Amino acid sequence: MSVDPATASGYTAHPQRMGFFTDTSVCIGCKACEVACKEWNAVPDDGMTFTGMSYDNTMSLSADTWRHVAFIEQPRPLGHQDPGVEGMDFRWLMASDVCKHCTHAACLDVCPTGSLFRTEFGTVVVQDDICNGCGYCVPACPYGVIGKRETTGVAAKCTLCYDRLGVGQEPACAKSCPTDSIQFGELDELRERAARRLEQMRAAGVDSARLYGHDPDDGVGGTGAFFLLLDEPEVYGLPPDPVVTTRDLPSMWRQAGIAAAVLLAGIAAATWGSRT
C-alpha cells in the first residue's frame, strides 16, 4: 500500500510528493548531472584518479558524489539492434544513480540529532550544521548512498535540490540532462510515465527492461527516485531486494526488554533466597 511520507511525518498541508524517474535507456554518460550537482550544491571535487573501470572515475555514490554515472560494458546487442561487425556485439549500459529518498528511510530512524529530516516534498535532507558525525546513517542505508566527508566529518548526500524545489525549480541534475534520462516531477505521474516507457522498451525487443524502486510494496515502501534498468539490478551495483535496515528494531528492543526483566527477576530471586 502506498504511504505518503510527508503526511506520515506530520505535514498536514503539503505539496505532492516529488521525485526522479531515471530512464537509463537514453542515458549517454555525459555526466552533465554530476557536474551540475556539484556546481549548484558546492559539492567538493572527487574522482580525480584513474580507476581502470571503463570511464567511471567515481565508482559509487558518496558524501562527495551525490550523482554517479555508471558505465557497464556488455558483449551483446540491445533488443532488435543490428548485429555487430563480425559478431562483435556490444552495448553500453549507462545509468545515473542518486539517493533514493525512501518512503521508509532507515537513515531517518537512526539519526540521534534530527540532522536528517523529511521535507514537505517527501524527500530526505541532511542538515550539516546539526550533524554530529556519529555515522549511524551510513550503515543504515540499504543502498550505500550516504557517507561522511573526510574534511568535516559530517554526513552528506543528495537533497533533491531542496532549495530549488522551494521556489518552484527542478533539481540541477534534471535541468542539465540533455536526453531527459533524468525526469523530475510528481511521483505518481512519474510512475505512470515509467510504466508506459517500459511497455515501449519491451515492444522494441528489450525483454530485460524492468522498473526498479517504483513498487510501494517493496522492502522500503517504494522510493522517491526510481529507475528503468536494462538488466538485473546487481549489474548496476544496486541491491536486488532492498529492505529498510531498521525493520526489526521494535522486536529487538522488546526482546532486549524481556531479557532484562528476566535477568532482574533472577537477581531479585537469588538475593531474596540468600537472605532467607
Side-chain angles (χ1 to χ4, degrees):
M1 183 180 65
S2 180
V3 175
D4 179 37
T7 300
S9 297
Y11 293 96
T12 52
H14 59 82
Q16 289 291 319
R17 186 178 183 184
M18 309 302 285
F20 289 128
F21 164 48
T22 302
D23 181 353
T24 68
S25 70
V26 293
C27 177
I28 59 175
C30 67
K31 298 194 179 184
C33 55
E34 288 191 10
V35 175
C37 176
K38 284 183 176 293
E39 287 187 346
W40 181 262
N41 296 290
V43 178
D45 60 15
D46 67 326
M48 297 302 179
T49 57
F50 177 68
T51 64
M53 296 292 289
S54 186
Y55 293 102
D56 187 349
N57 64 320
T58 50
M59 299 294 291
S60 64
L61 294 171
S62 70
D64 294 333
T65 302
W66 295 4
R67 269 279 178 188
H68 166 243
V69 178
F71 291 77
I72 299 110
E73 305 171 27
Q74 292 185 326
R76 66 174 188 256
L78 180 63
H80 294 322
Q81 201 173 53
D82 292 334
V85 178
E86 297 180 358
M88 294 181 63
D89 292 331
F90 181 82
R91 71 174 182 176
W92 282 106
L93 296 184
M94 303 173 188
S96 180
D97 196 10
V98 71
C99 173
K100 313 306 180 291
H101 296 275
C102 304
T103 300
H104 304 303
C107 57
L108 283 175
D109 294 338
V110 301
C111 181
T113 65
S115 169
L116 280 148
F117 75 100
R118 180 80 66 179
T119 75
E120 67 271 28
F121 299 102
T123 59
V124 179
V125 173
V126 180
Q127 302 172 94
D128 57 5
D129 58 332
I130 299 177
C131 177
N132 66 358
C134 68
Y136 294 164
C137 55
V138 177
C141 176
Y143 299 97
V145 166
I146 197 165
K148 288 174 60 179
R149 285 200 174 133
E150 294 182 3
T151 53
T152 61
V154 301
K157 70 170 193 68
C158 162
T159 66
L160 216 139
C161 285
Y162 183 44
D163 53 343
R164 293 175 66 91
L165 266 58
V167 293
Q169 297 181 349
E170 65 179 323
C173 57
K175 184 73 173 177
S176 68
C177 182
T179 64
D180 276 341
S181 172
I182 302 171
Q183 301 175 35
F184 166 77
E186 295 182 4
L187 196 60
D188 289 339
E189 195 277 329
L190 289 177
R191 285 172 175 162
E192 295 174 2
R193 191 186 307 175
R196 293 193 297 269
R197 178 58 177 161
L198 180 61
E199 291 179 1
Q200 293 175 354
M201 293 299 296
R202 289 183 173 168
V206 188
D207 296 329
S208 60
R210 72 205 63 207
L211 296 178
Y212 179 84
H214 71 297
D215 186 1
D217 294 322
D218 68 12
V220 296
T223 58
F226 65 101
F227 305 80
L228 186 147
L229 305 179
L230 302 181
D231 209 327
E232 298 285 348
E234 298 95 319
V235 172
Y236 297 85
L238 297 168
D241 188 20
V243 174
V244 59
T245 53
T246 53
R247 177 189 61 182
D248 297 326
L249 275 181
S251 62
M252 291 169 63
W253 281 116
R254 282 196 299 271
Q255 292 170 7
I258 293 171
V262 171
L263 178 62
L264 290 174
I267 294 174
T271 303
W272 179 261
S274 63
R275 288 181 178 179
T276 57

